[in-house]
Amino acid sequence: KENFDSIPDLEFNPIRGKIVHAFFDKRNLRQESDGLADEINFEDFLTIMSYFRPIEMNMDEEQLDRFRKEKLKFLFHMYDSDHDGKITLQEYRNVVEELLSGNPHLEKESARSIADGAMMEAASICVGQMGPDQVYEGITFEDFLKMWQGIDIETKMHVRFLNVDTIAHCY
Amino acid sequence: SVSSIVPESCLLIVVGLLVGGLIKGVGEKPPILKSDIFFLFLLPPIILDAGYFLPLRPFTENLGTILIFAVVGTLWNAFFLGGLMYAVCQLGGPGLNHIGLLANLLFGSIISAVDPVAVLAVFEEIHINELLHILVFGESLLNDAVTVVLYHLFEEFASFEQVTILDIILGFLSFFVVSLGGVLVGVIYGLIAAFTSRFTSHIRVIEPLFVFLYSYMAYLSAELFHLSGIMALIAAGVVMRPYVEANISHKSHTTIKYFLKMWSSVSETLIFIFLGVSTVAGHHYWNWTFVISTLFFCLIARVLGVLVLTWFINKFRIVKLTPKDQFIIAYGGLRGAIAFSLGYLLDYEHFSMRDMFLTAIITVIFFTVFVQGMTIRPLVDLLAVKKKQETKRSINEEIHTQFLDHLLTGIEDICGHYGHHHWKDKLNRFNKKYVKKCLIAGERSKEPQLIAFYHKMEMKQAIELVESGGIGKIPSAVSTVSIQNINPQTLPLERVLPALSKDKEEEIRKILRTNLQKTRQRLRSYNRHTLVADPYEEAWNQMLLRRQKARQLEQKMNNYLTVPAHKVDSPTMSRARIGSDPLAYEPKEDSENLPIITIDPASPQSPESVDLMSEEPKGCSGLPPSPEEDEEGLVMRVKEPSSPGTDDVFTPGGSDSPSNQRMLRCLSDPGPRPEPEEGEPFIPKGQ
């Protein structure tokens, strides 16, 4: 993992912790177990990279849908750090804080309010009416799918590998 | 109805025809769309409106495609058409033989450009998806550079005896000068405008003026040097927008938006009407061969161009353009008033066939606007082209988009691949570090984008809340999600909310006040250059101070954060309602010493609320709001001021801070100063 930390460009990235983590997350590596792997080999690296494949012209609806789900699942795992299958409020707050962590002038409370607002919006999209004593546990994967419905993830989440000047950093 | 079949632009042209016919019938000479009026006064507002509100993200993502369509596509159209028309002219008999190659090429370059005005007018009504819209529209904007170069080039050459290779090469180079020069001019003026807006905090009234002025100057400066004025205007609008919007007040922003929309609407209408009038008024020379072949070849050129270019572009695009998309792009290549004006500019001595050219141009314009404009909507429906999705930007979407951006940048960094995201990220960082500091005033410069977005959304919702009016109008699909639902074990938190800056609170207050009953305002001084002085300013400032102190206390907060559908009325509104009907107010007062105004977001709950009210212990010490009560919404306790004329609406106390904070949350005006002597209707009797 230390090799990842030594990549200079990643320093500016506010969510680098999560990105690096995602590479080692066993759920992304399609292994049955849970938790974090210690090292990954090239094959695992490629497995992760495969999430960022662009779509091809001749895919049919079902393949497209599967593609979408895979990419969204990858994202979902990044949000859901404790691997319990739900994005809880605390995890969401954590995400927002990391996103805003590039900025030292920020109050923590602002990040929290934003996360709370977003969470409430998510709840209202997914569940609609809720009585005062119902508790919304967290965003499950289905809810996550609902939230992303408006955005075409398959067209956005890809990296172009036109001429990949490869992996000089990651030995 | 007529308007769903016939696009507005067609109707306007017909009106123009009628008006022209009328004027001619009366015997007067109808006014013709003179080119300088068109280029100097009618065109800039439309372009500025387009550039200022250009959706930057899809534009930059598709910039390569747009540029190829604009540059290569227009060049192809011009040469193809010019060449073919030359052939037609040679074969076309005695009437046409004398038209030289250059003249034909010039004609080709005039007629080949897709017109932004026409595209806007038609595409606006059909609501196709963002990608197609930005492709066609972007192309129509950027092809101006090509058109300008070709036009001037051929016009010059027409007066030369000989055209050498050197001239052609110079012409080619001038294209880069024109386009890049235009963009540079626009960027410079945009930066100056942004810089100016940094210092306008004391003269808010003229802030919109700077935007318009600098943009227009950019246009004029570019046109002066024969650079592309349209590109300058677009560049200026795009560059200045993020900084200016961060600096100017909310009202100025609204002003700019509405002025631009108004001017561009007026311009568009005038252009089309004039087009109709000019058709009637102009001298025409109808030559069947010329006109028909022009029309025919225009269409063919466009279709061929789009097909070939798309085949080429799809090799590089991740999201390919389907044949349906290609059809729409080809079909959306409308010609408009720019072509007419350019044709009008031709002088008679070099171009004796000017009238014939004009006739042909007008025919093509009419054909594209009427036939293509009218049929594009049913075709879009027929082909089931994806339409624009009317989704509101939610905070979730923003978070996710930013997350995705960072993620993709990170992945690119890991691969060592300097891709699209990498450069975008670098630009953003550069922007944040250096540029924003210079161009944005005060503390806003350090505000990260997410926060800015959140604030914008909050403001919008606050305005919506106020404008939606009274209490009873709750839509049935209210989302009753509250903080309780997502975080049940919230301990008494110190709810320090994202502090809205004072300016914003000021603005929000002003907005709220304009929706309430106006009272007699005491103006301290009248000065045409200042906005109306605020008699409530001091009260508000003190309120803020005390509120900040009150925030220190720990309370169990149950906030209704910005849940969109939840219409919570501002306490002032309810007070206004109650205050204006004193009879309604009386019974409540009898029940307890503490007049409590409970605002009921949802009527089914009102019986409960009454019970709660009667259960409230009396006394001024107040109590922390009970959990069930919090569910009801905003409960505001109005205390008897210990002495009349306290300039604070609330005596600060423990129990007030949650309501204070909640009110702050709901962005409510705490109310004007209680000045009983003025007899203001919305001060409750209790005070």
Side-chain angles (χ1 to χ4, degrees):
Chain A
K1 247 209 218 162
E2 294 67 36
N3 299 125
F4 274 98
D5 292 332
S6 62
I7 301 177
D9 290 317
L10 267 189
E11 261 178 62
F12 292 112
N13 202 315
I15 57 169
R16 62 179 171 282
K18 284 206 160 24
I19 297 180
V20 176
H21 189 100
F23 270 85
F24 291 90
D25 191 334
K26 284 209 182 139
R27 292 175 296 177
N28 291 339
L29 296 173
R30 304 185 202 228
Q31 296 169 9
E32 288 313 315
S33 54
D34 231 5
L36 291 180
D38 291 322
E39 307 179 316
I40 53 172
N41 54 24
F42 188 65
E43 209 185 291
D44 297 322
F45 186 77
L46 279 187
T47 316
I48 302 287
M49 280 298 157
S50 72
Y51 284 105
F52 293 94
R53 248 185 327 183
I55 58 172
E56 282 131 46
M57 269 280 246
N58 42 10
M59 291 173 107
D60 56 9
E61 266 306 314
E62 196 193 302
Q63 274 183 308
L64 263 181
D65 199 41
R66 202 162 45 88
F67 227 45
R68 239 180 99 87
K69 280 221 173 84
E70 272 183 22
K71 296 198 193 226
L72 284 176
K73 215 159 187 120
F74 184 78
L75 268 188
F76 188 74
H77 291 157
M78 286 189 80
Y79 283 107
D80 179 20
S81 41
D82 61 0
H83 308 232
D84 63 355
K86 287 202 260 261
I87 306 177
T88 58
L89 183 64
Q90 192 48 50
E91 287 168 348
Y92 212 35
R93 278 192 189 150
N94 186 294
V95 168
V96 174
E97 269 168 35
E98 275 201 4
L99 268 183
L100 296 173
S101 65
N103 197 301
H105 296 264
L106 210 52
E107 302 170 358
K108 260 208 167 207
E109 309 304 328
S110 321
R112 261 207 268 170
S113 329
I114 294 181
D116 291 340
M119 194 75 177
M120 282 211 281
E121 211 182 79
S124 57
I125 295 178
C126 308
V127 188
Q129 306 267 6
M130 288 181 80
D133 41 0
Q134 282 178 284
V135 177
Y136 184 61
E137 292 288 342
I139 308 180
T140 61
F141 187 56
E142 285 72 36
D143 299 336
F144 198 64
L145 281 180
K146 253 197 258 190
M147 279 197 327
W148 276 88
Q149 241 174 13
I151 315 172
D152 285 332
I153 182 75
E154 59 264 16
T155 61
K156 295 207 176 162
M157 183 165 158
H158 55 254
V159 180
R160 270 180 212 225
F161 296 111
L162 281 184
N163 37 3
V164 180
D165 202 357
T166 54
I167 322 166
H169 299 287
C170 303
Y171 297 136
Chain B
S1 69
V2 178
S3 68
S4 61
I5 308 177
V6 182
E8 200 179 288
S9 40
C10 302
L11 285 175
L12 287 172
I13 294 187
V14 170
V15 168
L17 286 173
L18 288 174
V19 169
L22 255 173
I23 299 185
K24 213 169 192 186
V26 176
E28 293 288 320
K29 199 166 165 326
I32 300 191
L33 182 66
K34 292 216 195 41
S35 294
D36 48 350
I37 298 185
F38 176 73
F39 280 116
L40 287 180
F41 301 120
L42 290 180
L43 190 61
I46 303 181
I47 306 293
L48 181 60
D49 180 35
Y52 197 77
F53 293 110
L54 196 66
L56 202 55
R57 229 194 142 92
F59 187 72
T60 46
E61 281 175 11
N62 293 301
L63 193 59
T65 315
I66 293 178
L67 276 177
I68 290 188
F69 272 127
V71 176
V72 180
T74 314
L75 282 173
W76 156 259
N77 272 351
F79 282 105
F80 183 75
L81 195 64
L84 277 183
M85 290 315 294
Y86 180 61
V88 165
C89 284
Q90 294 305 322
L91 304 170
L96 300 173
N97 262 341
H98 58 287
I99 307 177
L101 177 64
L102 270 175
N104 275 307
L105 284 176
L106 181 59
F107 177 71
S109 66
I110 295 178
I111 197 96
S112 62
V114 178
D115 188 81
V117 180
V119 164
L120 255 180
V122 169
F123 271 49
E124 203 101 67
E125 303 185 355
I126 60 178
H127 299 300
I128 52 170
N129 63 48
E130 206 175 46
L131 173 67
L132 285 179
H133 187 219
I134 199 72
L135 280 181
V136 181
F137 186 56
E139 179 197 342
S140 68
L141 289 175
L142 294 185
N143 66 18
D144 179 64
V146 181
T147 312
V148 165
V149 169
L150 284 179
Y151 181 78
H152 286 293
L153 212 58
F154 289 136
E155 212 188 7
E156 296 265 320
F157 286 176
S159 51
F160 286 179
E161 294 305 318
Q162 276 267 19
V163 179
T164 63
I165 295 289
L166 187 62
D167 294 324
I168 297 184
I169 294 185
L170 280 178
F172 182 67
L173 284 178
S174 75
F175 166 69
F176 288 105
V177 171
V178 163
S179 50
L180 294 176
V183 171
L184 189 66
V185 167
V187 167
I188 293 179
Y189 273 102
L191 289 176
I192 298 180
F195 192 64
T196 315
S197 71
R198 184 181 169 183
F199 302 108
T200 54
S201 47
H202 299 292
I203 36 165
R204 295 279 184 199
V205 260
I206 59 174
E207 272 172 343
L209 186 65
F210 287 117
V211 172
F212 302 137
L213 208 62
Y214 282 112
S215 315
Y216 195 52
M217 289 218 308
Y219 179 75
L220 288 181
S221 313
E223 284 290 327
L224 200 61
F225 297 111
H226 280 294
L227 303 173
S228 168
I230 292 187
M231 295 191 85
L233 208 48
I234 307 251
V238 164
V239 164
M240 75 164 81
R241 183 175 177 201
Y243 308 112
V244 162
E245 287 204 340
N247 280 332
I248 61 178
S249 71
H250 180 82
K251 274 191 190 158
S252 302
H253 175 77
T254 312
T255 309
I256 292 181
K257 185 163 90 160
Y258 280 103
F259 258 90
L260 280 179
K261 296 287 176 202
M262 179 189 82
W263 268 327
S264 65
S265 285
V266 170
S267 286
E268 201 180 291
T269 312
L270 280 178
I271 288 179
F272 282 116
I273 292 186
F274 260 121
L275 212 52
V277 172
S278 308
T279 314
V280 174
H283 306 284
H284 293 296
Y285 183 79
W286 182 272
N287 182 311
W288 276 102
T289 341
F290 194 77
V291 172
I292 299 295
S293 44
T294 308
L295 197 57
F296 190 58
F297 290 132
C298 260
L299 292 173
I300 295 199
R302 175 88 183 148
V303 171
L304 276 180
V306 168
L307 279 177
V308 171
L309 285 177
T310 319
W311 173 82
F312 177 68
I313 289 173
N314 268 343
K315 294 192 180 202
F316 297 101
R317 276 181 71 92
I318 305 275
V319 184
K320 316 279 185 199
L321 293 173
T322 64
K324 257 198 265 184
D325 295 336
Q326 292 171 36
F327 176 73
I328 297 290
I329 295 177
Y331 208 67
L334 307 174
R335 315 307 202 262
I338 291 187
F340 179 77
S341 310
L342 283 177
Y344 197 80
L345 271 178
L346 296 173
D347 57 17
Y348 270 109
E349 42 175 277
H350 291 299
F351 301 98
S352 51
M353 70 301 292
R354 175 177 173 270
D355 290 331
M356 190 170 67
F357 281 175
L358 276 179
T359 315
I361 292 176
I362 289 190
T363 315
V364 174
I365 295 178
F366 272 41
F367 182 81
T368 55
V369 172
F370 276 96
V371 175
Q372 286 178 236
M374 268 200 267
T375 52
I376 201 168
R377 198 196 309 224
L379 275 174
V380 161
D381 289 332
L382 193 70
L383 292 174
V385 177
K386 254 204 298 192
K387 293 233 173 156
K388 183 159 73 168
Q389 291 158 314
E390 299 287 348
T391 46
K392 277 214 294 207
R393 293 271 292 179
S394 69
I395 185 77
N396 267 314
E397 220 181 284
E398 183 73 15
I399 292 181
H400 290 314
T401 321
Q402 280 217 351
F403 192 83
L404 200 58
D405 269 341
H406 286 300
L407 172 64
L408 289 172
T409 315
I411 298 280
E412 283 190 357
D413 288 333
I414 292 178
C415 301
H417 167 58
Y418 286 137
H420 187 70
H421 289 272
H422 178 90
W423 293 117
K424 209 158 64 157
D425 191 55
K426 265 217 164 101
L427 183 66
N428 274 335
R429 263 186 281 134
F430 172 72
N431 189 11
K432 208 183 291 200
K433 209 163 165 209
Y434 300 111
V435 182
K436 273 195 181 168
K437 289 227 181 78
C438 300
L439 297 178
I440 300 185
E443 78 254 11
R444 292 293 296 273
S445 65
K446 307 199 189 69
E447 208 175 47
Q449 191 194 353
L450 201 57
I451 303 274
F453 180 77
Y454 189 59
H455 278 155
K456 238 199 270 190
M457 262 199 38
E458 283 183 346
M459 268 245 247
K460 252 194 261 187
Q461 282 170 6
I463 298 174
E464 267 175 35
L465 274 177
V466 172
E467 285 184 354
S468 69
I471 298 177
K473 301 191 225 158
I474 313 299
S476 51
V478 139
S479 163
T480 49
V481 177
S482 72
I483 195 83
Q484 196 75 321
N485 295 117
I486 61 177
N487 201 349
Q489 71 279 23
T490 318
L491 296 168
L493 278 181
E494 188 187 323
R495 225 9 151 164
V496 180
L497 304 158
L500 293 178
S501 72
K502 263 231 272 181
D503 292 76
K504 274 211 220 73
E505 302 217 43
E506 196 59 40
E507 264 140 32
I508 292 167
R509 235 170 35 87
K510 285 188 192 150
I511 292 165
L512 288 172
R513 195 176 314 111
T514 55
N515 283 291
L516 304 172
Q517 294 170 328
K518 289 257 191 282
T519 65
R520 286 173 283 138
Q521 284 188 356
R522 290 171 311 173
L523 301 176
R524 302 243 172 77
S525 65
Y526 182 66
N527 182 346
R528 211 176 58 209
H529 300 292
T530 60
L531 297 171
V532 171
D534 229 323
Y536 308 121
E537 203 150 329
E538 262 108 75
W540 179 248
N541 290 341
Q542 293 203 11
M543 164 67 62
L544 273 182
L545 280 171
R546 286 189 219 197
R547 192 166 284 164
Q548 276 169 8
K549 284 186 213 142
R551 254 182 229 148
Q552 312 298 326
L553 304 170
E554 285 188 8
Q555 292 293 330
K556 176 165 189 199
M557 277 307 301
N558 191 357
N559 262 354
Y560 285 97
L561 280 181
T562 54
V563 177
H566 200 125
K567 311 267 189 221
V568 178
D569 199 356
S570 80
T572 332
M573 288 281 293
S574 72
R575 276 210 283 182
R577 201 178 54 90
I578 292 173
S580 58
D581 185 8
L583 285 177
Y585 189 74
E586 288 300 334
K588 285 190 188 149
E589 234 208 302
D590 290 338
S591 52
E592 57 233 1
N593 300 337
L594 259 176
I596 295 178
I597 302 168
T598 311
I599 292 139
D600 253 326
S603 25
Q605 290 175 333
S606 40
E608 294 171 66
S609 68
V610 171
D611 290 333
L612 273 177
M613 272 189 10
S614 54
E615 284 167 19
E616 284 283 24
K618 336 259 193 246
C620 284
S621 55
L623 42 71
S626 58
E628 307 92 273
E629 184 193 285
D630 285 349
E631 239 70 24
E632 304 305 336
L634 212 60
V635 173
M636 191 177 66
R637 262 176 241 112
V638 174
K639 294 234 174 75
E640 312 263 359
S642 40
S643 56
T646 7
D647 53 356
D648 204 353
V649 177
F650 299 107
T651 331
S655 58
D656 273 332
S657 28
S659 15
N660 287 355
Q661 296 182 31
R662 250 177 288 153
M663 291 218 311
L664 180 62
R665 194 73 294 233
C666 289
L667 298 169
S668 57
D669 190 337
R673 251 159 39 150
E675 282 171 293
E677 56 268 20
E678 283 204 337
E680 289 181 15
F682 36 110
I683 299 304
K685 290 264 183 77
Q687 284 201 314

